[in-house]
Amino acid sequence: MIKTWLLASRPKTFPASIAPVLVGIGLAHRIKGDVPWVYAAATLLSALFIQIATNLINDALDFKRGVDTHDRLGPMRVTQAGLLKAETVLVGAYVCLFVAALFGIPLILRGGWPIVAIGVASLISAYAYTGGPWPLAYHGLGELFVMLFFGMIAAGGTYYVLTLQYAIEAFLCGIAVGSLAVVILAINNLRDIAGDRANNKRTIAVRLGEAGARVEIAIFTAIPFAAVAVVAWLLADGWLCAVFLAVPLAIALLLRVYRSSGRELNRCLAMAGGLETIFSLLFLASSFA
């Protein structure tokens, strides 16, 4: 049973929630010189449980809407495979949202109403991504959701709760790490373009077509490096350019994306997750240099 729930949580997607927190921590340390690590840990855990809840809701509701079938090209979903009932998976999601809210309490006590606003919006959006009367993912708003909640809000919120201030550098770092999360989503949508089109799931990939989706992936792969270059210039800190050590992986990813289709894109997803992880770790490490 533990293995089934671990599969349902989709650990390979965790970089999308962990990376922006690491980048926010790194930026806070670089600008302020130190961070309150208790709040950093609480932020990381809250973000992680919101990510898991989003994955569980997506698993259950995509199955209910008929999007996930036995012809699915992506990794196995527990509801589609019959390992867990959709209702059970949704209960697990609600438990994760509750745990995320618990970890958010000390953050609210420290950061006040801005953290309340971020927390409430994050909890609601975790469900609204694939649930509710107008699911965001089904109307081409998945990228916007990811950029906001796994980029600008996650990185910027982390920076704010650790410093009780905001800065243009936090916004740019949010754009950077959010773009890497968009790359993961865009590859996923490119892989599923045929099935999504058949089920009237109007993702950006469906709207642009395969060629346009690949251009989208290339653009959002380049944005993070440009954004951090601007941050390094604003802070007069060349160490932050250590993230450019990840450029070869980014190039390798794009070459594979342009050569792959269908299930072959699952390897690209793993590479995209690895790129986001390495990028965020390089940023964090450089902030301590």
Side-chain angles (χ1 to χ4, degrees):
M1 182 60 72
I2 294 177
K3 184 178 180 180
T4 300
W5 280 105
L6 185 62
L7 177 64
S9 70
R10 286 187 257 164
K12 290 183 180 180
T13 68
F14 289 178
S17 58
I18 295 173
V21 176
L22 295 182
V23 169
I25 292 171
L27 184 63
H29 185 273
R30 171 54 74 198
I31 292 179
K32 293 298 181 180
D34 196 11
V35 295
W37 290 103
V38 171
Y39 295 108
T43 303
L44 182 63
L45 290 169
S46 183
L48 183 58
F49 275 97
I50 290 176
Q51 166 81 66
I52 295 172
T54 302
N55 289 344
L56 295 177
I57 292 169
N58 183 247
D59 191 306
L61 296 187
D62 270 358
F63 175 76
K64 282 190 168 187
R65 293 177 186 273
V67 176
D68 285 345
T69 67
H70 293 293
D71 296 324
R72 174 178 166 76
L73 298 176
M76 182 176 64
R77 299 282 183 86
V78 296
T79 312
Q80 167 254 319
L83 299 177
L84 292 171
K85 293 182 178 180
E87 292 74 16
T88 303
V89 174
L90 286 175
V91 169
Y94 300 145
V95 170
C96 288
L97 289 177
F98 177 73
V99 173
L102 288 180
F103 281 117
I105 291 174
L107 306 180
I108 291 171
L109 293 176
R110 175 174 171 80
W113 69 264
I115 303 303
V116 174
I118 289 173
V120 171
S122 297
L123 294 175
I124 293 173
S125 297
Y127 182 81
Y129 182 69
T130 48
W134 207 76
L136 301 176
Y138 285 72
H139 292 86
L141 295 175
E143 279 85 348
L144 177 61
F145 166 86
V146 167
M147 176 62 75
L148 286 175
F149 290 96
F150 293 99
M152 291 185 287
I153 290 176
T158 299
Y159 178 82
Y160 175 80
V161 82
L162 296 180
T163 65
L164 299 181
Q165 296 177 353
Y166 194 69
I168 185 63
E169 292 87 355
F171 174 80
L172 291 169
C173 284
I175 291 289
V177 74
S179 294
L180 291 170
V182 167
V183 169
I184 295 174
L185 175 66
I187 293 172
N188 182 82
N189 290 343
L190 173 61
R191 181 200 63 207
D192 294 339
I193 193 169
D196 288 345
R197 185 181 288 121
N199 286 281
N200 201 33
K201 186 175 181 180
R202 305 291 294 169
T203 63
I204 294 296
V206 168
R207 295 171 187 270
L208 295 179
E210 290 190 11
R214 288 185 168 89
V215 171
E216 176 197 8
I217 292 166
I219 290 172
F220 280 101
T221 300
I223 287 174
F225 299 98
V228 171
V230 175
V231 172
W233 175 72
L234 289 173
L235 297 178
D237 186 356
W239 282 106
L240 296 180
C241 290
V243 297
F244 280 84
L245 293 173
V247 166
L249 178 56
I251 294 173
L253 169 63
L254 291 178
L255 290 174
R256 184 176 286 275
V257 165
Y258 273 80
R259 291 196 302 259
S260 302
S261 60
R263 286 190 173 87
E264 296 172 349
L265 287 165
N266 288 330
R267 290 190 176 183
C268 297
L269 279 173
M271 290 179 67
L275 174 61
E276 186 169 14
T277 300
I278 291 171
F279 185 96
S280 61
L281 288 174
L282 285 171
F283 186 93
L284 180 64
S286 67
S287 71
F288 284 82

